[in-house]
Amino acid sequence: MAKYNIDDILTELGVQKGEESRRKLPRDPRTQHRIDREEAAFSPLPSMPGNQKVFQTAEEADRTLAIDPSIRSRPDAGPSSMVGPALSDVYTPGPGAIVSTNSGDLGQTLLAKGVITAEQLSTAQNVIRQSPGRSLIEVLLEQGTAEAPIQQTVADMKGIPFERVDVERGLDGGFDGKLLQRLTPEFCKQHMVLPLRMEGARAVVGAVHADDVFLIDDLKARLGVPGVKMVVVTAYDIRGAMEIVGAGAAANDQADLDQILTDVAESDVSIEKTSSADVDLEQQAGEGPVIRYVNYIIQTALKEGASDIHIEPSEKQVKVRFRIDGVLFEMMNPPAAMGPAITSRLKIMAGLDIAERRVPQDGRIRCTVSGRKLDLRMSTLPNTYGEKTVMRILDTRSINVQLEDLGFESGTLEIWRKLIDAPHGIILVTGPTGSGKTTTLYSSLRQLDKNKMNISTVEDPVEYHLDGITQTQTHEKIGMTFAKALKALLRQDPDVIMLGEIRDLETASTAVQASLTGHLVLSTLHTNDAPSSITRLVNIGLEPFLVGAAINGVLAQRLLRRLCLNCKVQEQPSEEVAEFLSMQGIESDLTWMAKGCEKCRNTGYAGRVGIYELLAVDDQLRDVIAGNPNVSEFRRMCLERGMVALRDDGFRKVARGMTTVEEVLSATEASHS
């Protein structure tokens, strides 16, 4: 009587010996109609040499691939109700067999081959952790990684050939039209396979997942061939072939989407009046999948130290990104069908109109996370696939920073303290959006004696609430502008006034008049450096002599990413970096570099530090300003009089190991002359 071992079974299925070892059989309900589970139980004979179980008949060997009901309780069974046994349950590989890999092995192999970077791998792993059930390959492809090198690596690791389909040749040698007709385009789209050619009696079939044992069996039956040789191909090539035969692009896996959204219902988003009351996210954690998911996004953002949350719907998914230390990181990808529900939930929390999707809306969410009260400034914007939502996280803890902790050099900090202690005049803080201007102004206001002084602010909008300070918000639609609010404040007997921004001539004129009549005015302006702020005010329409009389000082600033203390290293700089350091008077064979670790998401940076350019206006400079000087000449004069430029301050922090040369050059490119 002939004996059949597992190698004979694999050969019959078209898999060469040693190709697979610990491959799990597909969790495929299709096996139900092929194998009677009632007859699946079998009792193998004692193991023979080579760790292979031997069976007495072919029929008994065939039953080794049947689904064993006892494996339903396996730890790796997952959520599926129909799970097949691991191949290792019936076969233990001998020496030299290629062991299939998990996502961790694949990620490290792709990294070693240079297919992806460490940062790409870290980002993908973060997405997988936040979106359970997603594969590493899927996430990497969504991030823009080329598919062919990934599939080549997978094929090498599994010991299966890899091929590219000559789609341009189409049915004339690219792939086999007759075999395709037997399989049908619908089957090929569903299983991502493509018949390529015949080699003798065997059919060569390309597949995205070429290690599916049950798929091989199905292909043999449909094609009517005794054997099938599987090769790994890209999904891009299969979709191209389907377009040639008129089948169109691969359809979305609606079954998977339906499974994800099984618990999502319209009743999960209920209208609540939450615009003025706090929302305790933790108390709502069990009320519905959409509510739980929105709460999870906010909680994760706070945990990661994000400043902004971006929720961007697209055709196939929703992309959730966090801005951390000024850089956006993709964190999770809920399915596209959840996009409208997530947006509606956020609109309800912010008290916005959930029925209006055609125009932008702005709102505010007040919530409590882990006992901390947060304000989320929310903005929606219609786009092609729905509405994009961006939320700025306004955490009071992040704004409660002392001046000493902002990154001021000791001499600059001393001059700044004298400026904010002056009885009258205008002090400006300049820089682009996100450069920390509001943090500097709020920290400066907290240095003042709120008990003895009347301090008022006009902001658009009021982002953080400060105790002991009167804060007023502008409303352009009803005519409550900066200029009008400022004029009203002057009748409130103020000592110190903070303006959110000087935008026009009316506001600038009122601020100058307030400063000249004995008030200290702090405000912001959008310019690249400190000296150009003087010219900007003149260009707005102010007389140069008024600008010179009113301005006490201008502070230009930027935020640089701070080197991660856990992984920063000293290395020999490149020739270009060494040249920059030498120009700044820093002679060193070693300089601090960003390396990257798990704590800093492989970026090499954690947190941020400010660099500053402070222009203190004295009597001599007031006379120069009154003559309306040229910008470049005025800047040169300020530097000659001792003003420390932004780039110079940045290189001081490079010398102290706080940041890198690249960060300084990137942040100061526009301001350097």
Side-chain angles (χ1 to χ4, degrees):
M1 180 179 295
K3 296 183 180 180
Y4 294 83
N5 59 32
I6 193 66
D7 288 330
D8 297 324
I9 299 172
L10 293 176
T11 302
E12 183 180 356
L13 292 175
V15 182
Q16 296 179 2
K17 180 178 179 181
E19 284 186 354
E20 297 291 339
S21 57
R22 298 190 57 82
R23 179 201 314 121
K24 291 184 179 180
L25 299 182
R27 303 171 178 179
D28 192 342
R30 292 179 289 125
T31 58
Q32 290 185 1
H33 74 276
R34 304 210 320 267
I35 300 175
D36 186 358
R37 293 185 298 146
E38 297 289 338
E39 300 176 358
F42 62 93
S43 302
L45 296 176
S47 299
M48 299 294 290
N51 294 323
Q52 298 178 352
K53 299 185 185 302
V54 179
F55 309 100
Q56 297 298 320
T57 66
E59 291 76 14
E60 187 177 1
D62 287 340
R63 286 201 297 271
T64 61
L65 297 180
I67 291 179
D68 184 354
S70 66
I71 66 165
R72 291 176 181 271
S73 60
R74 287 167 50 121
D76 60 343
S80 175
S81 61
M82 180 60 62
V83 183
L87 190 60
S88 58
D89 292 347
V90 295
Y91 172 60
T92 302
I98 301 175
V99 180
S100 65
T101 58
N102 55 35
S103 62
D105 297 332
L106 175 60
Q108 293 303 319
T109 305
L110 291 171
L111 186 63
K113 287 190 172 186
V115 177
I116 59 175
T117 63
E119 186 171 350
Q120 286 176 313
L121 177 59
S122 176
T123 301
Q125 290 171 340
N126 283 335
V127 173
I128 292 172
R129 283 194 291 270
Q130 308 296 342
S131 306
R134 306 198 62 197
S135 68
L136 176 64
I137 295 176
E138 179 185 358
V139 175
L140 288 174
L141 292 179
E142 289 174 356
Q143 291 178 349
T145 306
E147 183 183 10
I150 295 179
Q151 289 293 81
Q152 175 73 69
T153 304
V154 171
D156 292 343
M157 296 177 70
K158 293 181 179 296
I160 303 175
F162 171 77
E163 291 187 16
R164 293 305 303 268
V165 180
D166 193 348
V167 178
E168 293 184 358
R169 294 181 62 185
L171 298 173
D172 297 326
F175 49 92
D176 194 309
K178 292 182 179 180
L179 295 179
L180 177 61
Q181 193 172 12
R182 293 182 194 176
L183 289 180
T184 74
E186 290 73 21
F187 179 88
C188 293
K189 286 192 300 179
Q190 180 182 356
H191 299 284
M192 295 306 289
V193 297
L194 183 67
L196 302 179
R197 59 188 176 275
M198 291 293 297
E199 288 184 356
R202 288 196 308 176
V204 180
V205 179
V208 174
H209 305 289
D211 55 355
D212 188 335
V213 174
F214 286 130
L215 177 59
I216 296 172
D217 202 16
D218 203 357
L219 288 170
K220 285 171 57 181
R222 288 175 178 269
L223 293 173
V225 295
V228 172
K229 176 184 176 182
M230 300 297 289
V231 298
V232 178
V233 297
T234 65
Y236 177 84
D237 289 347
I238 294 178
R239 286 193 291 266
M242 293 301 101
E243 290 178 0
I244 288 178
V245 298
N252 292 334
D253 194 347
Q254 188 64 38
D256 291 346
L257 189 60
D258 292 341
Q259 183 178 0
I260 294 172
L261 298 176
T262 299
D263 297 329
V264 180
E266 293 181 6
S267 59
D268 290 333
V269 180
S270 57
I271 299 176
E272 305 170 13
K273 295 181 179 179
T274 59
S275 57
S276 59
D278 288 351
V279 180
D280 193 334
L281 295 177
E282 294 177 341
Q283 290 181 1
Q284 298 178 346
E287 293 185 10
V290 175
I291 294 176
R292 291 198 303 270
Y293 199 88
V294 169
N295 296 345
Y296 178 64
I297 290 174
I298 298 174
Q299 289 171 331
T300 306
L302 183 64
K303 179 182 177 182
E304 295 289 337
S307 61
D308 299 87
I309 302 172
H310 291 237
I311 302 175
E312 306 163 350
S314 61
E315 182 179 4
K316 296 183 179 180
Q317 64 178 5
V318 178
K319 183 183 294 185
V320 179
R321 298 192 291 173
F322 296 164
R323 188 177 294 279
I324 304 172
D325 294 337
V327 180
L328 282 171
F329 292 89
E330 184 175 346
M331 302 299 290
M332 53 192 83
N333 296 116
M338 285 188 70
I342 292 174
T343 302
S344 296
R345 173 60 187 166
L346 291 170
K347 283 185 174 181
I348 290 168
M349 296 175 70
L352 301 179
D353 184 0
I354 62 172
E356 182 55 76
R357 302 182 179 91
R358 300 165 300 173
V359 297
Q361 296 187 67
D362 296 316
R364 197 182 192 99
I365 299 173
R366 294 180 179 178
C367 55
T368 302
V369 182
S370 302
R372 295 170 60 177
K373 289 190 175 182
L374 291 182
D375 278 0
L376 306 177
R377 195 177 75 195
M378 175 177 160
S379 171
T380 67
L381 180 69
N383 72 355
T384 308
Y385 300 104
E387 293 176 278
K388 176 179 177 178
T389 302
V390 177
M391 292 181 288
R392 168 69 59 87
I393 300 176
L394 306 175
D395 184 8
T396 306
R397 293 189 185 183
S398 65
I399 205 71
N400 288 332
V401 183
Q402 299 297 321
L403 282 174
E404 294 83 357
D405 300 327
L406 293 178
F408 281 102
E409 298 290 333
S410 57
T412 304
L413 179 59
E414 183 179 354
I415 298 174
W416 180 251
R417 287 187 183 278
K418 291 181 179 179
L419 290 175
I420 61 176
D421 286 336
H424 57 80
I426 295 178
I427 302 175
L428 297 175
V429 180
T430 76
T433 301
S435 59
K437 300 187 298 295
T438 301
T439 302
T440 300
L441 286 175
Y442 279 13
S443 298
S444 300
L445 290 179
R446 276 195 295 270
Q447 304 299 309
L448 303 176
D449 191 342
K450 293 184 285 289
N451 294 324
K452 295 182 179 180
M453 304 177 73
N454 178 16
I455 305 174
S456 302
T457 72
V458 181
E459 304 171 63
D460 180 26
V462 176
E463 295 185 342
Y464 300 93
H465 297 281
L466 303 175
D467 293 333
I469 295 177
T470 303
Q471 295 175 271
T472 303
Q473 183 163 321
T474 62
H475 295 279
E476 295 285 345
K477 292 182 180 180
I478 62 174
M480 183 64 167
T481 62
F482 275 109
K484 188 171 183 178
L486 181 54
K487 290 178 181 177
L489 278 183
L490 292 176
R491 295 191 289 270
Q492 295 278 316
D493 186 30
D495 295 298
V496 178
I497 300 172
M498 191 195 89
L499 282 175
E501 183 182 353
I502 294 179
R503 299 178 178 175
D504 51 42
L505 176 58
E506 186 179 8
T507 306
S509 299
T510 308
V512 168
Q513 294 302 322
S515 68
L516 295 177
T517 54
H519 305 88
L520 181 64
V521 179
L522 286 75
S523 186
T524 68
L525 204 62
H526 289 285
T527 59
N528 289 329
D529 57 15
S532 60
S533 300
I534 305 298
T535 308
R536 175 67 57 84
L537 292 176
V538 174
N539 292 338
I540 286 177
L542 290 177
E543 293 292 340
F545 71 91
L546 288 177
V547 175
I551 299 296
N552 286 354
V554 183
L555 179 73
Q557 67 177 73
R558 299 287 189 278
L559 288 179
L560 306 183
R561 290 187 293 174
R562 189 190 295 264
L563 278 169
C564 174
L565 298 177
N566 186 61
C567 64
K568 68 176 185 178
V569 294
Q570 278 189 309
E571 296 179 357
Q572 185 174 359
S574 63
E575 294 183 5
E576 185 179 4
V577 172
E579 181 181 354
F580 275 111
L581 293 174
S582 178
M583 291 171 59
Q584 301 299 321
I586 304 174
E587 299 292 344
S588 177
D589 294 334
L590 297 175
T591 185
W592 290 102
M593 299 286 188
K595 182 180 179 182
C597 63
E598 291 185 0
K599 291 186 177 180
C600 61
R601 303 171 192 83
N602 282 315
T603 62
Y605 301 95
R608 290 193 287 180
V609 63
I611 58 173
Y612 303 92
E613 178 178 282
L614 179 56
L615 169 61
V617 180
D618 55 19
D619 291 339
Q620 183 176 351
L621 282 181
R622 294 185 199 279
D623 294 338
V624 174
I625 294 172
N628 193 14
N630 177 276
V631 179
S632 58
E633 293 179 359
F634 184 61
R635 176 175 176 78
R636 179 179 52 79
M637 185 180 301
C638 293
L639 292 172
E640 291 175 353
R641 292 175 57 81
M643 182 186 76
V644 178
L646 278 170
R647 181 167 288 187
D648 296 336
D649 190 40
F651 277 108
R652 291 181 180 180
K653 291 175 171 59
V654 170
R656 291 160 54 186
M658 300 173 68
T659 188
T660 61
V661 175
E662 292 79 9
E663 277 291 296
V664 174
L665 297 179
S666 174
T668 61
E669 189 66 33
S671 63
H672 186 68
S673 60

